Amino acid sequence: MTQIAKPVRRSRKAEQRAETMEQIYDAAEALFSQHGLYGVTLKDVAKQVGVHHTLLNYYFADKKALFDAVFARRAVVTSERRMQALDAYEAEAGDKPTVEGALRAFLDTDLDTYIEGGEGWKNYAKLGAQVANTPAWGADLMDQHFDPVVLRLIGLLKKALPDCAEADIFWGYHFVTGALMLTLARTGRIDKLSHGLCHSDDFGAVKERMASFMAAGFLAICNK
């Protein structure tokens, strides 16, 4: 007779630990997004959570280890969502993908994550913008977490633009990611320049425009 395995229940202690770790990640994410890696200490995070700083020293070798863990927590989610969207788009488009279609799968999926995810995801967006613009160690983090999905997009763009020079496609992506990172940073600069007509936290307005704008740029440099 086959015995049915009973579901493993986590102990209350394990649940409390998991809850505390999520609180630590959330607090660290908010602080890092506002002040950067060098503007935050482990004691700052501990104080925000309401625990003794020795608890953070127990789980994390140093502040950078905490930062990396915070960054990785959501990186895997947004990377997987975009990969699934690109896969679904290619399956739908078959042999005839378009530049805008590929960009929408990549950009709109990411922007939807921040639109629907609440303040925690918006904090992560600002954190990602910081990492992307930190040459010393940020590039390594971006490579580690996002190279597969970026190269998936590049592959689709090559398929949509078979006669385009490979260098132009990579430059096009460079411009796309620059605009995306500036958007995620939510600096408020466009608010001032437009006298309130546009708002840097209006990801919905960005979603309406960015893929179309960038697609036209790809076509312009590839057909020059």
Side-chain angles (χ1 to χ4, degrees), residues 138-203:
D140 289 339
L141 270 184
M142 298 299 285
D143 294 347
Q144 176 185 342
H145 292 289
F146 298 122
D147 273 9
V149 70
V150 169
L151 292 173
R152 184 77 176 85
L153 170 65
I154 295 292
L156 264 178
L157 292 172
K158 288 180 179 179
K159 194 173 181 180
L161 296 165
D163 299 322
C164 186
E166 189 174 22
D168 286 335
I169 291 178
F170 277 101
W171 277 120
Y173 171 73
H174 180 75
F175 304 144
V176 167
T177 195
L180 179 61
M181 289 305 114
L182 180 59
T183 295
L184 299 185
R186 292 186 294 157
T187 64
R189 179 161 165 72
I190 194 172
D191 308 50
K192 297 175 183 177
L193 289 171
S194 68
H195 299 288
L197 183 63
C198 305
H199 299 276
S200 64
D201 61 355
D202 189 352
F203 287 174

Side-chain angles (χ1 to χ4, degrees), residues 23-85:
Q23 291 172 2
I24 289 171
Y25 288 143
D26 288 343
E29 184 177 65
L31 289 169
F32 284 136
S33 73
Q34 291 296 322
H35 308 292
L37 172 64
Y38 301 110
V40 178
T41 67
L42 289 178
K43 287 184 177 181
D44 292 332
V45 178
K47 182 178 180 181
Q48 188 80 3
V49 179
V51 297
H52 197 273
H53 68 86
T54 53
L55 179 66
L56 274 72
N57 293 125
Y58 177 79
Y59 286 117
F60 303 100
D62 53 28
K63 178 173 60 175
K64 183 61 165 55
L66 173 58
F67 187 99
D68 290 350
V70 167
F71 188 78
R73 179 178 62 151
R74 297 193 201 270
V76 66
V77 176
T78 180
S79 185
E80 287 179 357
R81 285 180 181 175
R82 284 182 287 178
M83 190 71 84
Q84 290 169 2

Side-chain angles (χ1 to χ4, degrees), residues 204-216:
V206 174
K207 179 184 170 183
E208 288 178 17
R209 298 165 172 83
M210 184 179 282
S212 299
F213 183 89
M214 292 300 174

Side-chain angles (χ1 to χ4, degrees), residues 101-113:
L103 289 173
R104 286 207 173 276
F106 184 83
L107 292 170
D108 290 7
T109 301
D110 202 38
L111 290 167
D112 280 342
T113 298

